[in-house]
Amino acid sequence: MTDPRDIIVGIDLGTTNSLVAYADEAGPRLIFGSAGEDDVLLPSVVAFDAASGRVTAIGHEARAHAVEQPLTTVYSIKRLMGRGFTDLGDDRRRLPYAIERLAHSDGARDVAAVVIGERRFTPPEISAIILRELKQRAQRHLGPAVHRAVITVPAQFDDSQRQATRDAGQIAGWDVVRIINEPTAAALAYGLDRRERATIAVYDLGGGTFDISILQLEEGVFEVLATNGDTHLGGDDFDQQLIQLFTREIKEQFGLDIDSPAIKQQLRTLAENIKKRLSSEDLAEVEIGLGSGRTYRRRIERGEFERLIEPFVERTISACGRAMKTCSLTPGDINQVVMVGGSTRVPYVRQRVAEVFQCRPYTALDPEQVVALGAAVQGSVLMGVQRDVLLLDVTPLSLGIETLGGAMGKLIRANVRIPCQATETFTTFQDGQTKVKINVLQGERELARDCRSLGVFELTGVPPMPAGIPKIDVTFLIDQNGVLTVSAREQRSGQAAGVQIIPHHGLTREEVRRMHDESVAHAHEDMSAHHLIDVRTTLEFDLNKAEGMLRRFGHLLGQAERASLAEELRALRCYAAECTDAAALNARREAFNRSTIPLAERAMTAVLQTSGGVAGDEVDRPATASTTGGAPTEPAAQRR
Amino acid sequence: MPAQNGVLPAKCTRCAAELLSPVVCSGCQSIYPMPSGVDHFQLLGLERTFRLDEARVKASFRALARSVHPDHFTGASGEVAALATRLSAAVNEAVAVLSDPLRRADYLLTLAGGPSAVEVREVPGSLLTEVMILREQIEEARSAGRNDELERLRATLSASRGAALETVAARADSLPQASLEERREFRKLLNSIRYYDNLLSEVSVDPMHAAKTTHD
């Protein structure tokens, strides 16, 4: 087996669920959680304790808290990744937990943060909690040295969102060797065994994002011809339509405004369930108790639901059209449409896709698992296990700079194959100017203010010369991960100019490092707290058992021996009440158990002599009733 | 350094095998920085001509892309991985230019000494009138909702563009011997193709929309 240090796992960090998978020569497979082989989806939900800001639950358990603790249960954090507080818009209203602009010393930056009591968590920190949970899963299966991962992102993610994802991985202690696009990953999982040439469309509708990618597959080459989509379009929007419907009708019928986060959360859960039910049935019924004997009842037919979601589905179809236009293809050129993402389970979505592509959508692979499986395949490619695979992806958005007058000057166009680079020459407009600021943008719009600013890049160390004389070549390189790096060189001197990046919506390297260190400290704290409880429980059991033996068989020991054991027992009880160091307490517990061996042996002999060896049970049973935890192996019982 | 100033290197410094591309050793698969002055044709190991075989361009590209793609240098040092990324960017740029006839012609003109599209913005004399008439016809057809007329105009435009590209193909390979005046004319020809492309994008139909109407 491969050295765990070399293993590269694949992670699908989803809006709704996250998964981790691993691939070797035998192919990719999902890594399951503690509940068994079916436990592969980890809901991307984290529950916190409001007072301490500690994580109380992750995944299914956290999701179960969402209704009782809407303010401290964080879900859909992917929607906030790499985005500023000011550009959240609708999300701020929709999400029940509090979000604010993170306080920074520099006013230029705008990073959104989730408010939990006194603490503030940036989206990468919350994603890191999910990623750390996946890391534990991976380590349980593949060994503790596993630390390298491929993480997937929606193809439409911009640079800030990709950086935020990578930051999250680093905070969780992953070495993020590669970021790949979700539809591309899906194609990898799907097309690995295909040898014949095919053009496929990957239609990926998740909880919060939509991607359409057109790929050409041929002998291990996975070439993305075009990609399009929307980072704010997904199954969450379908739920939202139902929620809005219920809210409006409850207002009309009962004059009630629904503003409590708990009821909102309840509605959300309800909407999700109805959506799922209408995927297999034609009719669903809702009943919501509103207190004081009032009940809101509603029947929803599938057709009505479909009319509600139609505008959103049509937006996905338009994006498909734009992608096809980019690569000059028509639906007839597409051999197969692969469905990815949980929201493609909605029959209306499948129906529309079948109509426009004029073929039956391909659903042989579980749409919720295929991305993680593909990421694992990419992991094996990077490990050198899969040698003949070549992934050729494109950049989803045009990259440019703000020019005089506030226009967007495009340097790299959307749908260009990556890695790619462009060089632009800059100069100064004041005599003796030694710094040049460049506002770097991503987007398709004509005006800088309508595009997304990735940050201001400041060139430093420009030789002081008259205005317009220095010529600084600035190279914008988008790497295979779709992540931008900028370098600069003064033409005349050939000297590299310094490039300082002030990310608009991101974290600095130092912040990521600090968050990682903090998270390790917290994880350690949480783990030792957990461990301490375990040791205390076991100790309690051991002490009770010893006490019982002492009471029943103490007379078999000498007086001094008996007194010393009783004293030891009392002292350890006091110590346990105060001790917070799990390891130290466990050491004392083990020492105590060794000193009770003579008593246990004598008790055993006595019991065997009096009842012919059938009363071992009696020895084991503690005299006091309050036992907890499982029984540690007991020498007397073993001998039986 | 295996190569200098556009001269193709002869041997790999690591395994002494012959270098088939200026950046990759065919023997030990070592990669080398781009020597300055290497053009897109040399990088892909193709003859400098307008008449390229599409399949050959693609095959050369894929072979080279496999050799320099950063995914195959995960275990390498940061420096080598960064080199792989830069080389991949250069290879991607080269193939993008060479597989598009218009960009390929433009590139050949640049290699022959220009002029650039900024220096010469004019188009052949007759084109402006032609474009104006076509634009009017497109607007009329669109406001009248006449899809058949739009389709006819699209065909006309494609034919004109095709004819212009034919002329480009006929002249592109003699650019190195061409006079400045001839190169200016060539630039105007390229400009006219851009005009046709702009008009074509105005009459193009949304493939999804077309699909929906055929289905209804």
Side-chain angles (χ1 to χ4, degrees):
Chain A
M1 182 160 165
T2 325
D3 185 331
R5 277 169 302 184
D6 297 333
I7 288 177
I8 301 175
V9 300
I11 294 176
D12 173 3
L13 181 62
T15 309
T16 316
N17 293 301
S18 296
L19 304 87
V20 57
Y22 163 66
D24 54 20
E25 289 84 350
R29 57 182 177 276
L30 295 162
I31 298 174
F32 49 87
S34 47
E37 282 188 40
D38 293 330
D39 179 21
V40 290
L41 294 180
L42 176 70
S44 306
V45 187
V46 181
F48 291 90
D49 175 57
S52 66
R54 282 252 185 93
V55 176
T56 54
I58 305 168
H60 290 287
E61 205 190 323
R63 195 166 61 182
H65 288 301
V67 174
E68 311 129 51
Q69 297 161 7
L71 297 176
T72 53
T73 306
V74 181
Y75 62 85
S76 291
I77 193 67
K78 191 171 177 179
R79 280 181 172 253
L80 308 188
M81 291 288 274
R83 306 181 69 222
F85 177 72
T86 44
D87 56 12
L88 290 182
D90 233 20
D91 284 330
R92 240 161 71 204
R93 202 168 39 77
R94 274 195 203 177
L95 299 169
Y97 47 86
I99 305 163
E100 62 173 38
R101 184 174 171 160
L102 195 66
H104 277 297
S105 47
D106 54 297
R109 254 199 314 166
D110 175 13
V111 178
V114 176
V115 181
I116 303 289
E118 293 300 304
R119 294 192 63 183
R120 302 290 176 271
F121 292 90
T122 59
E125 285 175 284
I126 291 174
S127 294
I129 295 165
I130 297 157
L131 288 169
R132 200 178 311 115
E133 184 71 16
L134 294 176
K135 195 172 176 200
Q136 281 167 10
R137 277 189 184 185
Q139 289 175 329
R140 259 199 308 273
H141 285 260
L142 303 166
V146 172
H147 70 288
R148 300 206 292 171
V150 172
I151 304 182
T152 62
V153 294
Q156 289 300 307
F157 256 23
D158 67 22
D159 183 76
S160 312
Q161 292 168 308
R162 285 166 196 265
Q163 293 274 15
T165 304
R166 194 148 72 172
D167 291 346
Q170 278 167 2
I171 294 168
W174 284 109
D175 175 5
V176 184
V177 287
R178 187 86 148 76
I179 300 273
I180 65 167
N181 294 329
E182 285 157 11
T184 313
L188 267 178
Y190 157 80
L192 198 59
D193 306 319
R194 290 182 69 118
R195 289 290 108 179
E196 78 275 29
R197 183 183 162 137
T199 305
I200 67 164
V202 180
Y203 180 100
D204 181 358
L205 188 63
T209 57
F210 171 68
D211 283 325
I212 173 78
S213 287
I214 317 281
L215 291 100
Q216 199 164 73
L217 275 50
E218 191 175 15
E219 295 186 358
V221 179
F222 293 75
E223 184 175 355
V224 179
L225 303 177
T227 188
N228 209 297
D230 191 328
T231 51
H232 273 75
L233 178 57
D236 287 0
D237 294 299
F238 298 174
D239 301 345
Q240 204 59 35
Q241 294 309 301
L242 290 170
I243 294 169
Q244 280 169 11
L245 175 78
F246 300 153
T247 311
R248 199 177 59 238
E249 291 187 350
I250 288 172
K251 168 90 177 158
E252 282 165 10
Q253 293 172 24
F254 304 94
L256 280 177
D257 276 314
I258 291 176
D259 42 20
S260 107
I263 298 187
K264 274 189 187 166
Q265 185 50 45
Q266 216 175 333
L267 281 180
R268 199 177 83 98
T269 312
L270 207 63
E272 255 176 52
N273 290 339
I274 289 168
K275 177 180 70 179
K276 283 182 191 154
R277 213 175 315 151
L278 289 174
S279 289
S280 54
E281 286 158 45
D282 291 329
L283 183 74
E285 280 178 81
V286 198
E287 228 182 76
I288 304 168
L290 298 165
S292 330
R294 294 171 298 187
T295 309
Y296 168 72
R297 285 194 185 83
R298 184 70 154 84
R299 286 158 67 91
I300 294 199
E301 283 175 24
R302 193 190 272 186
E304 186 181 1
F305 173 65
E306 292 180 351
R307 279 192 296 280
L308 284 175
I309 65 170
E310 190 190 341
F312 297 95
V313 179
E314 287 315 305
R315 269 167 65 192
T316 70
I317 301 299
S318 301
C320 292
R322 288 193 298 272
M324 306 263 257
K325 200 173 163 183
T326 301
C327 53
S328 310
L329 293 179
T330 60
D333 299 319
I334 306 290
N335 300 109
Q336 209 144 37
V337 185
V338 180
M339 301 298 260
V340 181
S343 304
T344 60
R345 292 195 201 279
V346 173
Y348 182 65
V349 171
R350 293 191 178 183
Q351 179 200 323
R352 284 296 292 139
V353 170
E355 275 168 15
V356 296
F357 285 98
Q358 294 153 40
C359 66
R360 238 179 74 201
Y362 184 80
T363 53
L365 294 170
D366 187 318
E368 287 183 280
Q369 301 182 353
V370 62
V371 169
L373 292 170
V377 170
Q378 177 63 10
S380 71
V381 170
L382 297 172
M383 281 158 64
V385 174
Q386 285 277 349
R387 291 208 167 272
D388 58 346
V389 171
L390 178 64
L391 205 61
L392 302 171
D393 215 323
V394 298
T395 179
L397 302 162
S398 296
L399 181 95
I401 47 168
E402 182 174 349
T403 59
L404 280 175
M408 151 79 159
K410 284 183 186 170
L411 298 174
I412 293 172
R413 297 204 167 258
N415 287 300
V416 158
R417 193 179 288 134
I418 51 173
C420 60
Q421 64 179 27
T423 301
E424 184 79 0
T425 307
F426 292 85
T427 188
T428 54
F429 56 92
Q430 272 175 357
D431 291 345
Q433 191 181 336
T434 57
K435 286 181 183 174
V436 176
K437 278 189 180 173
I438 307 166
N439 186 13
V440 181
L441 308 164
Q442 237 176 349
E444 308 314 312
R445 305 280 297 274
E446 297 297 326
L447 293 178
R449 64 156 191 265
D450 296 325
C451 291
R452 212 171 143 64
S453 169
L454 299 181
V456 173
F457 292 70
E458 192 175 61
L459 308 180
T460 55
V462 177
M465 283 190 249
I469 299 297
K471 298 255 181 298
I472 310 127
D473 287 335
V474 181
T475 300
F476 301 85
L477 174 79
I478 298 179
D479 68 11
Q480 65 275 22
N481 303 304
V483 172
L484 174 72
T485 48
V486 177
S487 58
R489 187 169 293 276
E490 207 281 314
Q491 268 181 15
R492 216 165 306 241
S493 60
Q495 256 185 4
V499 182
Q500 208 201 337
I501 307 156
I502 306 151
H504 261 161
H505 308 291
L507 303 170
T508 61
R509 294 300 95 201
E510 293 75 59
E511 283 169 334
V512 171
R513 240 191 315 275
R514 180 175 53 74
M515 286 170 181
H516 169 250
D517 294 348
E518 274 175 16
S519 82
V520 169
H522 281 302
H524 195 74
E525 243 172 57
D526 293 352
M527 205 152 68
S528 25
H530 197 83
H531 192 193
L532 187 65
I533 293 170
D534 280 353
V535 174
R536 280 214 173 111
T537 310
T538 318
L539 176 69
E540 179 72 14
F541 179 83
D542 290 356
L543 289 175
N544 286 341
K545 192 174 68 177
E547 212 165 38
M549 278 199 301
L550 202 57
R551 198 156 37 231
R552 285 190 61 191
F553 302 102
H555 61 277
L556 301 173
L557 294 172
Q559 172 135 35
E561 224 179 335
R562 194 167 67 223
S564 130
L565 197 62
E567 173 51 28
E568 223 179 305
L569 201 151
R570 195 198 56 80
L572 187 52
R573 255 215 177 100
C574 292
Y575 177 73
E578 279 164 23
C579 176
T580 53
D581 181 341
L585 186 62
N586 198 42
R588 286 283 298 268
R589 184 186 70 82
E590 284 173 352
F592 173 77
N593 281 351
R594 277 193 299 276
S595 58
T596 62
I597 290 173
L599 174 62
E601 278 175 351
R602 268 171 234 185
M604 193 71 224
T605 320
V607 169
L608 286 175
Q609 278 166 355
T610 50
S611 56
V614 287
D617 210 38
E618 257 184 287
V619 183
D620 275 338
R621 191 186 303 138
T624 36
S626 67
T627 60
T628 45
T633 25
E634 156 63 31
Q638 272 177 346
R639 243 178 268 149
R640 221 158 18 135
Chain B
M1 201 69 172
Q4 269 146 20
N5 298 328
V7 181
L8 280 188
K11 304 251 157 134
C12 171
T13 53
R14 296 195 184 107
C15 73
E18 211 145 308
L19 291 189
L20 295 181
S21 147
V23 295
V24 183
C25 167
S26 54
C28 65
Q29 294 290 310
S30 293
I31 53 173
Y32 289 99
M34 270 281 272
S36 59
V38 167
D39 67 34
H40 293 336
F41 295 97
Q42 290 167 322
L43 180 61
L44 290 180
L46 299 164
E47 192 194 340
R48 189 193 285 190
T49 169
F50 181 79
R51 297 177 191 281
L52 285 176
D53 175 26
E54 252 182 67
R56 248 197 83 204
V57 176
K58 201 167 186 176
S60 301
F61 160 68
R62 286 197 171 165
L64 197 54
R66 271 185 200 280
S67 308
V68 299
H69 198 282
D71 280 358
H72 301 147
F73 293 88
T74 311
S77 72
E79 211 174 304
V80 173
L83 172 62
T85 304
R86 283 200 309 276
L87 287 177
S88 293
V91 171
N92 287 340
E93 167 74 9
V95 76
V97 169
L98 298 191
S99 34
D100 174 358
L102 188 59
R103 293 186 72 183
R104 187 162 73 228
D106 198 322
Y107 186 63
L108 282 167
L109 179 60
T110 308
L111 289 178
S116 71
V118 179
E119 288 162 327
V120 174
R121 292 164 187 271
E122 308 100 90
V123 288
S126 57
L127 186 82
L128 284 178
T129 338
E130 188 192 338
V131 165
M132 239 163 62
I133 294 167
L134 277 166
R135 183 155 279 146
E136 257 169 43
Q137 289 176 326
I138 291 170
E139 266 158 37
E140 259 170 48
R142 178 159 299 133
S143 55
R146 291 197 45 197
N147 282 336
D148 55 333
E149 176 65 7
L150 278 176
E151 183 50 40
R152 192 191 64 80
L153 287 165
R154 208 189 59 76
T156 313
L157 273 167
S158 295
S160 303
R161 186 194 193 269
L165 202 60
E166 281 295 309
T167 319
V168 164
R171 297 187 195 165
D173 284 336
S174 46
L175 279 172
Q177 298 86 42
S179 68
L180 179 61
E181 199 38 52
E182 286 169 320
R183 297 204 307 265
R184 288 178 68 90
E185 283 306 312
F186 192 81
R187 172 56 72 191
K188 288 182 193 172
L189 203 51
L190 296 183
N191 290 348
S192 70
I193 296 180
R194 296 232 153 79
Y195 267 78
Y196 291 131
D197 282 341
N198 286 340
L199 283 175
L200 275 169
S201 71
E202 281 176 36
V203 288
S204 74
V205 256
D206 176 1
M208 287 297 125
H209 182 73
K212 201 182 176 184
T213 40
T214 52
H215 206 86
D216 285 345

mmCIF file of all heavy atoms in Angstrom, chain A residues 432-454:
data_model
loop_
_atom_site.group_PDB
_atom_site.id
_atom_site.type_symbol
_atom_site.label_atom_id
_atom_site.label_comp_id
_atom_site.label_asym_id
_atom_site.label_seq_id
_atom_site.Cartn_x
_atom_site.Cartn_y
_atom_site.Cartn_z
ATOM 1 N N GLY A 432 8.897 60.897 -10.230
ATOM 2 C CA GLY A 432 9.449 60.315 -9.011
ATOM 3 C C GLY A 432 8.557 59.303 -8.325
ATOM 4 O O GLY A 432 8.869 58.834 -7.234
ATOM 5 N N GLN A 433 7.451 58.947 -8.982
ATOM 6 C CA GLN A 433 6.523 57.971 -8.396
ATOM 7 C C GLN A 433 7.200 56.608 -8.251
ATOM 8 O O GLN A 433 7.834 56.128 -9.187
ATOM 9 C CB GLN A 433 5.305 57.867 -9.328
ATOM 10 C CG GLN A 433 4.129 57.110 -8.768
ATOM 11 C CD GLN A 433 2.990 57.050 -9.776
ATOM 12 O OE1 GLN A 433 2.884 57.901 -10.678
ATOM 13 N NE2 GLN A 433 2.136 56.060 -9.646
ATOM 14 N N THR A 434 7.108 55.997 -7.060
ATOM 15 C CA THR A 434 7.783 54.715 -6.857
ATOM 16 C C THR A 434 6.805 53.557 -6.647
ATOM 17 O O THR A 434 7.208 52.415 -6.489
ATOM 18 C CB THR A 434 8.734 54.772 -5.645
ATOM 19 O OG1 THR A 434 7.968 55.167 -4.501
ATOM 20 C CG2 THR A 434 9.874 55.758 -5.878
ATOM 21 N N LYS A 435 5.509 53.883 -6.602
ATOM 22 C CA LYS A 435 4.507 52.823 -6.415
ATOM 23 C C LYS A 435 3.420 52.963 -7.466
ATOM 24 O O LYS A 435 3.065 54.077 -7.844
ATOM 25 C CB LYS A 435 3.841 52.957 -5.043
ATOM 26 C CG LYS A 435 4.710 52.534 -3.889
ATOM 27 C CD LYS A 435 3.950 52.689 -2.594
ATOM 28 C CE LYS A 435 4.836 52.341 -1.417
ATOM 29 N NZ LYS A 435 4.151 52.627 -0.143
ATOM 30 N N VAL A 436 2.921 51.822 -7.939
ATOM 31 C CA VAL A 436 1.806 51.850 -8.879
ATOM 32 C C VAL A 436 0.735 50.894 -8.353
ATOM 33 O O VAL A 436 1.047 49.760 -7.966
ATOM 34 C CB VAL A 436 2.246 51.391 -10.297
ATOM 35 C CG1 VAL A 436 1.052 51.334 -11.246
ATOM 36 C CG2 VAL A 436 3.317 52.321 -10.855
ATOM 37 N N LYS A 437 -0.479 51.383 -8.309
ATOM 38 C CA LYS A 437 -1.571 50.523 -7.824
ATOM 39 C C LYS A 437 -2.403 50.027 -8.991
ATOM 40 O O LYS A 437 -2.739 50.779 -9.896
ATOM 41 C CB LYS A 437 -2.475 51.308 -6.873
ATOM 42 C CG LYS A 437 -1.920 51.379 -5.472
ATOM 43 C CD LYS A 437 -2.925 51.964 -4.507
ATOM 44 C CE LYS A 437 -2.317 52.000 -3.118
ATOM 45 N NZ LYS A 437 -3.177 52.699 -2.161
ATOM 46 N N ILE A 438 -2.697 48.736 -8.976
ATOM 47 C CA ILE A 438 -3.505 48.143 -10.045
ATOM 48 C C ILE A 438 -4.713 47.456 -9.422
ATOM 49 O O ILE A 438 -4.568 46.590 -8.553
ATOM 50 C CB ILE A 438 -2.696 47.084 -10.829
ATOM 51 C CG1 ILE A 438 -1.379 47.674 -11.315
ATOM 52 C CG2 ILE A 438 -3.506 46.532 -11.985
ATOM 53 C CD1 ILE A 438 -0.402 46.611 -11.791
ATOM 54 N N ASN A 439 -5.897 47.835 -9.872
ATOM 55 C CA ASN A 439 -7.109 47.180 -9.393
ATOM 56 C C ASN A 439 -7.403 46.011 -10.331
ATOM 57 O O ASN A 439 -7.705 46.212 -11.503
ATOM 58 C CB ASN A 439 -8.260 48.201 -9.372
ATOM 59 C CG ASN A 439 -9.514 47.624 -8.751
ATOM 60 O OD1 ASN A 439 -9.469 46.567 -8.121
ATOM 61 N ND2 ASN A 439 -10.629 48.312 -8.934
ATOM 62 N N VAL A 440 -7.295 44.782 -9.818
ATOM 63 C CA VAL A 440 -7.483 43.590 -10.659
ATOM 64 C C VAL A 440 -8.929 43.108 -10.553
ATOM 65 O O VAL A 440 -9.479 42.990 -9.456
ATOM 66 C CB VAL A 440 -6.508 42.467 -10.260
ATOM 67 C CG1 VAL A 440 -6.697 41.255 -11.159
ATOM 68 C CG2 VAL A 440 -5.082 42.967 -10.370
ATOM 69 N N LEU A 441 -9.535 42.874 -11.717
ATOM 70 C CA LEU A 441 -10.967 42.571 -11.780
ATOM 71 C C LEU A 441 -11.233 41.214 -12.410
ATOM 72 O O LEU A 441 -10.452 40.719 -13.216
ATOM 73 C CB LEU A 441 -11.667 43.636 -12.633
ATOM 74 C CG LEU A 441 -11.423 45.095 -12.259
ATOM 75 C CD1 LEU A 441 -11.842 45.999 -13.408
ATOM 76 C CD2 LEU A 441 -12.193 45.452 -10.999
ATOM 77 N N GLN A 442 -12.391 40.650 -12.071
ATOM 78 C CA GLN A 442 -12.851 39.448 -12.746
ATOM 79 C C GLN A 442 -14.326 39.638 -13.094
ATOM 80 O O GLN A 442 -15.095 40.124 -12.265
ATOM 81 C CB GLN A 442 -12.664 38.216 -11.855
ATOM 82 C CG GLN A 442 -11.813 37.164 -12.512
ATOM 83 C CD GLN A 442 -11.529 35.970 -11.646
ATOM 84 O OE1 GLN A 442 -11.794 35.954 -10.458
ATOM 85 N NE2 GLN A 442 -10.979 34.936 -12.266
ATOM 86 N N GLY A 443 -14.706 39.285 -14.302
ATOM 87 C CA GLY A 443 -16.103 39.421 -14.693
ATOM 88 C C GLY A 443 -16.241 39.731 -16.164
ATOM 89 O O GLY A 443 -15.254 39.943 -16.863
ATOM 90 N N GLU A 444 -17.484 39.731 -16.630
ATOM 91 C CA GLU A 444 -17.738 39.901 -18.063
ATOM 92 C C GLU A 444 -18.271 41.277 -18.417
ATOM 93 O O GLU A 444 -18.489 41.588 -19.576
ATOM 94 C CB GLU A 444 -18.728 38.833 -18.547
ATOM 95 C CG GLU A 444 -18.339 37.403 -18.171
ATOM 96 C CD GLU A 444 -16.875 37.092 -18.443
ATOM 97 O OE1 GLU A 444 -16.389 37.392 -19.549
ATOM 98 O OE2 GLU A 444 -16.200 36.578 -17.536
ATOM 99 N N ARG A 445 -18.536 42.113 -17.427
ATOM 100 C CA ARG A 445 -19.150 43.404 -17.695
ATOM 101 C C ARG A 445 -18.123 44.424 -18.163
ATOM 102 O O ARG A 445 -16.926 44.245 -17.977
ATOM 103 C CB ARG A 445 -19.865 43.904 -16.426
ATOM 104 C CG ARG A 445 -20.880 42.890 -15.868
ATOM 105 C CD ARG A 445 -22.187 42.921 -16.609
ATOM 106 N NE ARG A 445 -22.837 44.213 -16.460
ATOM 107 C CZ ARG A 445 -23.628 44.532 -15.452
ATOM 108 N NH1 ARG A 445 -23.880 43.649 -14.503
ATOM 109 N NH2 ARG A 445 -24.191 45.724 -15.394
ATOM 110 N N GLU A 446 -18.635 45.499 -18.773
ATOM 111 C CA GLU A 446 -17.757 46.492 -19.388
ATOM 112 C C GLU A 446 -17.145 47.462 -18.370
ATOM 113 O O GLU A 446 -16.039 47.964 -18.567
ATOM 114 C CB GLU A 446 -18.538 47.307 -20.436
ATOM 115 C CG GLU A 446 -19.050 46.489 -21.606
ATOM 116 C CD GLU A 446 -17.914 45.880 -22.419
ATOM 117 O OE1 GLU A 446 -16.861 46.516 -22.541
ATOM 118 O OE2 GLU A 446 -18.096 44.747 -22.912
ATOM 119 N N LEU A 447 -17.897 47.736 -17.314
ATOM 120 C CA LEU A 447 -17.411 48.708 -16.344
ATOM 121 C C LEU A 447 -16.790 48.026 -15.128
ATOM 122 O O LEU A 447 -17.289 47.008 -14.657
ATOM 123 C CB LEU A 447 -18.554 49.613 -15.880
ATOM 124 C CG LEU A 447 -19.126 50.546 -16.949
ATOM 125 C CD1 LEU A 447 -20.276 51.366 -16.382
ATOM 126 C CD2 LEU A 447 -18.038 51.464 -17.509
ATOM 127 N N ALA A 448 -15.716 48.633 -14.655
ATOM 128 C CA ALA A 448 -15.001 48.055 -13.521
ATOM 129 C C ALA A 448 -15.923 47.861 -12.323
ATOM 130 O O ALA A 448 -15.862 46.854 -11.630
ATOM 131 C CB ALA A 448 -13.823 48.954 -13.143
ATOM 132 N N ARG A 449 -16.819 48.827 -12.105
ATOM 133 C CA ARG A 449 -17.655 48.739 -10.903
ATOM 134 C C ARG A 449 -18.665 47.588 -10.977
ATOM 135 O O ARG A 449 -19.212 47.169 -9.968
ATOM 136 C CB ARG A 449 -18.348 50.076 -10.623
ATOM 137 C CG ARG A 449 -19.326 50.506 -11.678
ATOM 138 C CD ARG A 449 -20.379 51.456 -11.107
ATOM 139 N NE ARG A 449 -21.446 51.631 -12.078
ATOM 140 C CZ ARG A 449 -21.491 52.634 -12.955
ATOM 141 N NH1 ARG A 449 -20.565 53.564 -12.935
ATOM 142 N NH2 ARG A 449 -22.479 52.718 -13.827
ATOM 143 N N ASP A 450 -18.924 47.066 -12.178
ATOM 144 C CA ASP A 450 -19.842 45.933 -12.304
ATOM 145 C C ASP A 450 -19.111 44.590 -12.228
ATOM 146 O O ASP A 450 -19.728 43.540 -12.221
ATOM 147 C CB ASP A 450 -20.602 46.007 -13.635
ATOM 148 C CG ASP A 450 -21.484 47.240 -13.700
ATOM 149 O OD1 ASP A 450 -22.033 47.623 -12.645
ATOM 150 O OD2 ASP A 450 -21.606 47.823 -14.789
ATOM 151 N N CYS A 451 -17.774 44.652 -12.232
ATOM 152 C CA CYS A 451 -17.000 43.421 -12.113
ATOM 153 C C CYS A 451 -16.581 43.256 -10.658
ATOM 154 O O CYS A 451 -16.787 44.129 -9.833
ATOM 155 C CB CYS A 451 -15.774 43.463 -12.998
ATOM 156 S SG CYS A 451 -16.191 43.415 -14.743
ATOM 157 N N ARG A 452 -15.986 42.117 -10.398
ATOM 158 C CA ARG A 452 -15.563 41.858 -9.040
ATOM 159 C C ARG A 452 -14.097 42.236 -8.892
ATOM 160 O O ARG A 452 -13.267 41.806 -9.676
ATOM 161 C CB ARG A 452 -15.721 40.379 -8.794
ATOM 162 C CG ARG A 452 -16.049 40.093 -7.414
ATOM 163 C CD ARG A 452 -16.403 38.667 -7.254
ATOM 164 N NE ARG A 452 -15.875 38.268 -5.970
ATOM 165 C CZ ARG A 452 -16.302 38.791 -4.843
ATOM 166 N NH1 ARG A 452 -17.245 39.707 -4.825
ATOM 167 N NH2 ARG A 452 -15.772 38.411 -3.708
ATOM 168 N N SER A 453 -13.817 43.032 -7.883
ATOM 169 C CA SER A 453 -12.429 43.392 -7.646
ATOM 170 C C SER A 453 -11.781 42.307 -6.802
ATOM 171 O O SER A 453 -12.259 41.971 -5.729
ATOM 172 C CB SER A 453 -12.352 44.725 -6.918
ATOM 173 O OG SER A 453 -11.027 44.916 -6.484
ATOM 174 N N LEU A 454 -10.697 41.738 -7.329
ATOM 175 C CA LEU A 454 -10.001 40.694 -6.575
ATOM 176 C C LEU A 454 -9.082 41.308 -5.535
ATOM 177 O O LEU A 454 -8.633 40.660 -4.614
ATOM 178 C CB LEU A 454 -9.165 39.828 -7.519
ATOM 179 C CG LEU A 454 -9.943 39.097 -8.597
ATOM 180 C CD1 LEU A 454 -8.996 38.276 -9.437
ATOM 181 C CD2 LEU A 454 -10.999 38.223 -7.972
#
